[in-house]
Amino acid sequence: MADLRLSFLDFEMENPWCLASAPPTATGELMASAFDKGWAAAIMKTVGPVEEPIINVAPRIHTMKKWNREIAMQNIELITDRRLSVWLDELKILRKRYPKKMIIGSIMAPGHDMDAWAKLVEEMNKTKVNAIELNLGCPHGMPERDMGAVCSQDPLIISKIVKTAKSVSKVPIMTKLTPNVTNIKMMATAAKNAGSDAITVINTVNGIIGIDIYKKEPHLSVNGYTAIGGVSGNGMKPIGLKCVAECKQATDLPISGCGGISSWSEGVEYLLMGAGQLQVCTEVMIRGFKIIDGMNKGLEKYMAEMGITKASDLVGDLYKRVTSFETLLKKSSSEKVQVNEETCTGCNICVVACDDSGYDALKLKSLPDSNRTGGTRKVAEVIYDSCTGCNLCVAVCPVPNCMSLYDSKLPFPYELADNYTGNTLV
Ligand SMILES: Cc1cc2nc3c(=O)[nH]c(=O)nc-3n(C[C@H](O)[C@H](O)[C@H](O)COP(=O)(O)O)c2cc1C
């Protein structure tokens, strides 16, 4: 039986999954419902200083779909519009009801107002949350008021805020950074040097989700106008993984990984990269708290297949293998593609991609079809001298185990993939 427990900031979570600060954690009641359904941790929707009124616009959410499946979401929602005093009461109740769940506070104040930051941390102290996340990442609305992303786009401001929070807080501080910077390592380092106990990456990515070409206006349109919003969801995973790698490289702090996790396997990717906790927002907004069942089951099945008994063993150090291009040049071998003629369907997708991307290293050829006497079938054939091993054909091939790269400099006869029936290579 797989042990899904994972220790993050000295708290033993029953599984790696944490609800990110967002609409699914908009009230204590919602957080309770998520805990009841199996989520191990939840971060309250960010609360700001009482003096800062929060007024949302409508509409404020839109998605981008491919094949009827959401691949990204843009929002222009602000932080919670509920009173701090209401939140404090709810957090205290949650604490009593759920001693085994990791309850995380989330706060935001202006980058110039350290008193406001200190006050919010003091209030959070009273609730006995397990950690406090400093939301330095909201990219819309709040930056106009010197809050959110502007605070993690300047290492000096990060430093001031984290130092202030650390000087008051009774629990670990997680610093949530924006990915909308040129050099996130610099920002993570500032957080570490100021005493942050962990880093959360990522908050949403600046973007505009799309245009309604018939109405000739943005999809996320407030009476014809839009604002640059925060893009989240599955398509953001590569940016999240990159930020986990860079923050881990720069600081070696525990990382709460967030951004585009829509399934158990993407969570595993984050863990292997080096994250120690997994936050999910958009996928829950689309499909609900119950996705936790499939996430846990998938994780258990994967662990059984891989012979891993403890989820904590999945936390890896692939961030150490994210290296410079120069290092890759030294490690690169002489790759060529090979086609498995047993599985190739002759669909021609790889040939078109290769031709029209200028590599010209594939064509179709006819083979006798063992299913039809006298008949033939088409399969892809590699033009050996033209193949540069770019991997485009492997990436676009729709058939599993059909195309793969091999090191053509290995001594011949090279042991080719199973079922390979093809041509002589020299
Ligand atoms: C509608 C919406 C509201 C959000 N509100 C907050 C917030 O109040 N505080 C915060 O730290 N992050 C907020 N986020 C960002 C998420 O916590 C998370 O960092 C981001 O969505 C990336 O994760 P995902 O791809 O799993 O959605 C919000 C995201 C969305 C989509």
Side-chain angles (χ1 to χ4, degrees):
M1 181 69 179
D3 178 359
L4 295 187
R5 285 173 304 170
L6 202 63
S7 177
F8 188 70
L9 293 175
D10 289 333
F11 187 90
E12 190 177 84
M13 300 198 305
E14 63 203 62
N15 59 54
W17 308 109
C18 172
L19 279 180
S21 172
T25 60
T27 65
E29 206 180 324
L30 275 164
M31 289 167 77
S33 167
F35 288 150
D36 290 340
K37 292 188 172 79
W39 289 82
I43 306 173
M44 68 180 282
K45 173 104 180 138
T46 306
V47 67
V50 275
E51 304 78 34
E52 295 284 346
I54 299 298
I55 301 162
N56 271 306
V57 293
R60 57 184 171 277
I61 291 172
H62 207 286
T63 60
M64 182 166 83
K65 298 186 185 189
K66 200 88 188 175
W67 316 130
N68 222 16
R69 174 75 162 98
E70 297 80 5
I71 51 175
M73 172 186 281
Q74 181 193 349
N75 85 86
I76 45 173
E77 178 170 296
L78 303 180
I79 57 175
T80 186
D81 54 7
R82 301 172 73 238
R83 294 185 65 78
L84 177 64
S85 55
V86 175
W87 263 114
L88 297 175
D89 290 344
E90 289 182 358
L91 288 172
K92 285 176 198 157
I93 294 168
L94 281 177
R95 176 72 296 152
K96 277 202 186 121
R97 264 174 67 189
Y98 297 96
K100 296 201 170 137
K101 302 288 183 176
M102 188 171 192
I103 301 171
I104 302 174
S106 172
I107 57 173
M108 172 189 285
H112 62 267
D113 190 349
M114 292 311 117
D115 288 346
W117 279 102
K119 229 180 199 148
L120 284 170
V121 175
E122 268 163 15
E123 296 293 355
M124 284 295 137
N125 279 339
K126 295 178 195 160
T127 65
K128 301 211 164 33
V129 286
N130 300 104
I132 300 170
E133 191 172 79
L134 310 177
N135 178 356
L136 310 186
C138 177
H140 43 262
M142 307 316 290
E144 292 155 30
R145 301 197 223 168
D146 195 27
M147 292 195 262
V150 285
C151 294
S152 65
Q153 286 165 338
D154 181 337
L156 290 178
I157 299 177
I158 294 175
S159 180
K160 273 202 310 192
I161 294 171
V162 174
K163 273 186 188 154
T164 303
K166 277 299 287 181
S167 68
V168 184
S169 180
K170 295 205 166 100
V171 292
I173 291 293
M174 300 162 67
T175 307
K176 185 170 184 183
L177 299 175
T178 178
N180 304 310
V181 288
T182 314
N183 185 349
I184 201 163
K185 284 186 174 185
M186 192 196 286
M187 308 306 166
T189 304
K192 180 184 177 168
N193 292 344
S196 188
D197 299 282
I199 305 278
T200 299
V201 272
I202 53 175
N203 208 309
T204 49
V205 181
N206 279 350
I208 291 172
I209 205 77
I211 304 290
D212 183 324
I213 57 171
Y214 296 102
K215 289 189 190 157
K216 294 188 178 169
E217 63 176 39
H219 273 312
L220 188 44
S221 162
V222 179
N223 288 325
Y225 290 83
T226 197
I228 291 171
V231 184
S232 59
N234 202 208
M236 301 306 109
K237 186 193 70 178
I239 301 171
L241 282 175
K242 168 226 167 230
C243 290
V244 169
E246 290 189 308
C247 292
K248 194 75 188 163
Q249 284 177 349
T251 67
D252 206 25
L253 284 177
I255 308 278
S256 187
C258 181
I261 299 176
S262 69
S263 64
W264 65 267
S265 60
E266 286 152 344
V268 173
E269 292 180 55
Y270 268 88
L271 293 176
L272 294 176
M273 183 62 92
Q277 182 189 53
L278 303 171
Q279 294 190 26
V280 187
C281 161
T282 301
E283 196 60 19
V284 176
M285 287 181 69
I286 297 169
R287 285 173 224 292
F289 294 136
K290 284 294 279 176
I291 62 167
I292 186 76
D293 291 342
M295 311 256 263
N296 278 338
K297 277 199 191 109
L299 200 53
E300 278 170 3
K301 190 163 174 282
Y302 166 78
M303 286 167 64
E305 270 169 29
M306 301 294 285
I308 297 165
T309 48
K310 293 195 281 186
S312 52
D313 289 344
L314 284 172
V315 179
D317 60 2
L318 284 184
Y319 65 92
K320 290 183 182 160
R321 289 204 232 154
V322 179
T323 182
S324 66
F325 186 79
E326 202 186 337
T327 310
L328 293 189
L329 272 179
K330 287 181 198 139
K331 292 193 177 294
S332 178
S333 46
S334 181
E335 303 277 327
K336 298 277 182 188
V337 74
Q338 60 182 329
V339 181
N340 182 339
E341 293 180 350
E342 301 294 319
T343 56
C344 180
T345 61
C347 70
N348 206 40
I349 289 174
C350 61
V351 177
V352 171
C354 189
D355 273 6
D356 293 355
S357 300
Y359 301 113
D360 275 333
L362 286 163
K363 61 181 182 187
L364 288 187
K365 69 173 180 184
S366 292
L367 282 184
D369 186 349
S370 54
N371 293 324
R372 288 184 297 138
T373 322
T376 57
R377 65 186 182 97
K378 300 272 189 208
V379 294
E381 180 183 27
V382 184
I383 303 161
Y384 182 81
D385 286 340
S386 304
C387 179
T388 61
C390 75
N391 203 49
L392 174 63
C393 54
V394 182
V396 298
C397 177
V399 182
N401 304 320
C402 179
M403 307 194 89
S404 56
L405 294 186
Y406 68 99
D407 185 348
S408 64
K409 283 275 163 57
L410 286 179
F412 194 82
Y414 175 73
E415 198 179 319
L416 294 167
D418 287 354
N419 299 329
Y420 183 80
T421 55
N423 306 325
T424 309
L425 297 175
V426 287

